[in-house]
């Protein structure tokens, strides 16, 4: 098993350096969305985004001024990571849990490199409780990776209760924050209202992690499926085309339901898979967020 230091170095080499090629070393606003609070305007400096120029102030002062937002001055980010038994699943190269740890490491590195604070909370509570208070610096990214990689797997305990997790975060977050909800979202309903409430007060990003085999059943005959969170088992004849078609329909319905929940809660979704690299989905997501940010009226 990789040590936390080796995990972070691997991410720096395989993910963050490739993102540098796309971002040209500028991490300003990588994850920041359109919900920005204008803090002040300041004189233009070489290298500033031209699209940040405030033309009204520039016209009055006869000098170029740019808008500076609150998030760029002061931000606390939280990583809320699902460590439930359903995350200990993978049929390609890695488990979903490993993808969650990798993304948390990348996000923590980028945020602390930008000079902001980041903390982490794992759920549900297992033998130990993953709670890393917000701090800055590369050492903080290492602390988060270490806490996640050394947390023992949780066995049983029932279905993941996202409602309780989101309710707890609503009490923890005292000021506007950037929140990453990293999960496979295998949870009973009832958490939509809490997500929407968090989305109104904070910038929330849902990081949905899945495995290709969760999207389509292979034709391998009769198989027992085991629910790692409840212990329930069910026998399924995967050679029956009607069963596979019905499963595909259920997956599509769940996709549509989750998309509706996120849209109503003003939450953007980043989808990651155990069968692909982090880089391409991250580049597409960052491009989407930046394009929408700068296309907003008045910005």
């Amino acid at each position: 098993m990789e040590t936390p230091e080796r995990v972070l170095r691997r991410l720096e080499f395989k993910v963050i350096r490739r993102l540098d090629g796309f971002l040209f070393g500028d991490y300003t606003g990588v994850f920041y969305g359109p919900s920005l609070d204008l803090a002040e305007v300041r004189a233009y400096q070489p290298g500033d985004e031209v699209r940040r120029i405030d033309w009204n102030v520039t016209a009055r002062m006869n000098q170029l001024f740019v808008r500076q937002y609150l998030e760029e001055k002061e931000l606390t980010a939280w990583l809320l990571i699902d460590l439930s038994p359903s995350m200990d699943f993978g049929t390609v190269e890695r488990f979903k849990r490993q993808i969650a740890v990798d993304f948390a490491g990348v996000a923590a590195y980028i945020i602390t490199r930008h000079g902001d604070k980041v903390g982490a909370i794992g759920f549900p509570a297992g033998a130990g409780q993953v709670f890393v208070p917000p701090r800055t610096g590369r050492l903080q990214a290492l602390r988060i990776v270490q806490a996640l990689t050394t947390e023992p797997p949780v066995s049983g305990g029932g279905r993941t209760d996202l409602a309780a997790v989101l309710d707890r975060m609503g009490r923890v977050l005292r000021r506007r924050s950037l929140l990453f909800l990293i999960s496979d979202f295998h949870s009973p309903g009832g958490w939509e209202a809490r997500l929407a409430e968090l989305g109104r007060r904070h910038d929330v990003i849902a990081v949905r992690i899945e495995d290709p085999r969760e999207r389509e059943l292979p034709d391998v005959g009769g198989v027992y499926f085991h629910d790692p969170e409840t212990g329930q088992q069910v026998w399924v004849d995967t050679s029956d085309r009607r069963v596979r078609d019905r499963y595909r329909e259920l997956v599509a319905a769940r996709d549509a339901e989750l998309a509706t929940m996120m849209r109503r809660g003003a939450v953007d979704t980043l989808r990651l898979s155990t069968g692909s690299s982090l880089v391409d989905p991250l580049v597409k997501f960052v491009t989407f967020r930046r394009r929408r940010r700068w296309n907003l009226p008045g910005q």
Side-chain angles (χ1 to χ4, degrees):
M1 186 174 64
E2 290 180 293
T3 64
E5 179 65 36
R6 288 180 66 88
V7 170
L8 199 57
R9 286 185 179 178
R10 170 173 57 80
L11 295 174
E12 286 177 296
F13 180 75
K14 292 189 175 182
V15 179
I16 296 169
R17 285 189 184 180
R18 293 181 63 185
L19 288 177
D20 265 330
F22 166 70
L23 301 169
F24 302 104
D26 178 16
Y27 281 81
T28 303
V30 171
F31 290 119
Y32 311 125
S35 301
L36 303 176
D37 297 324
L38 183 62
E40 61 184 26
V41 293
R42 59 171 174 78
Y44 176 86
Q45 298 176 1
D48 285 339
E49 286 273 1
V50 175
R51 287 170 291 187
R52 299 189 188 203
I53 295 176
D54 190 313
W55 293 108
N56 291 329
V57 176
T58 295
R60 290 197 302 269
M61 304 298 293
N62 199 29
Q63 179 184 351
L64 285 176
F65 279 83
V66 295
R67 291 180 294 270
Q68 187 168 5
Y69 296 94
L70 183 61
E71 287 136 310
E72 298 168 355
K73 294 167 65 68
E74 191 173 12
L75 172 78
T76 298
W78 284 93
L79 302 167
L80 189 56
I81 307 104
D82 186 352
L83 301 175
S84 64
S86 66
M87 294 291 286
D88 291 313
F89 176 79
T91 62
V92 186
E93 294 181 359
R94 291 173 291 171
F95 290 162
K96 291 186 290 183
R97 176 169 174 157
Q98 292 172 296
I99 299 295
V101 173
D102 281 1
F103 174 79
V106 169
Y109 185 98
I110 290 174
I111 291 165
T112 55
R113 178 168 171 172
H114 181 55
D116 292 316
K117 296 180 180 179
V118 60
I121 296 178
F123 67 92
Q129 174 67 58
V130 173
F131 179 80
V132 183
R135 293 181 183 174
T136 61
R138 185 181 184 279
L139 184 58
Q140 176 70 351
L142 189 60
R143 289 191 192 100
I144 290 173
V145 171
Q146 182 175 17
L148 294 173
T149 55
T150 56
E151 176 70 3
V154 180
S155 59
R159 300 294 301 276
T160 303
D161 190 353
L162 275 180
V165 173
L166 295 174
D167 187 58
R168 177 189 178 189
M169 288 307 299
R171 296 193 300 269
V172 169
L173 301 179
R174 298 300 182 187
R175 54 178 299 174
R176 182 171 178 79
S177 303
L178 173 62
L179 174 64
F180 294 89
L181 178 57
I182 308 168
S183 175
D184 56 10
F185 293 92
H186 291 319
S187 171
W191 48 271
E192 308 93 295
R194 292 173 175 84
L195 179 70
E197 182 179 353
L198 280 173
R200 286 191 295 268
R201 297 170 49 207
H202 309 280
D203 191 2
V204 183
I205 296 175
V207 183
R208 182 182 174 187
I209 302 178
E210 56 192 358
D211 184 86
R213 288 300 179 214
E214 293 178 315
R215 304 203 59 80
E216 187 156 352
L217 288 178
D219 182 359
V220 292
V223 179
Y224 276 103
F225 285 88
H226 173 78
D227 186 332
E229 298 192 357
T230 65
Q232 182 180 3
Q233 288 188 341
V234 60
W235 186 86
V236 177
D237 183 7
T238 62
S239 64
D240 189 331
R241 181 175 55 83
R242 293 170 300 177
V243 172
R244 298 197 304 275
D245 289 345
R246 178 57 180 155
Y247 182 82
R248 195 177 299 113
E249 292 172 0
L250 290 173
V251 170
R254 180 170 179 266
D255 285 346
E257 181 183 19
L258 283 175
T260 299
M261 291 179 184
M262 301 305 174
R263 184 170 58 253
R264 289 176 178 172
V267 173
D268 288 334
T269 303
L270 167 62
R271 294 178 65 169
L272 302 176
S273 173
T274 59
S276 61
S277 165
L278 296 181
V279 177
D280 289 342
L282 273 172
V283 167
K284 292 178 181 178
F285 184 77
V286 170
T287 302
F288 162 74
R289 296 266 289 189
R290 283 185 164 180
R291 182 180 296 122
R292 188 181 61 181
R293 175 180 180 174
W294 297 121
N295 285 341
L296 285 179
Q299 294 186 16

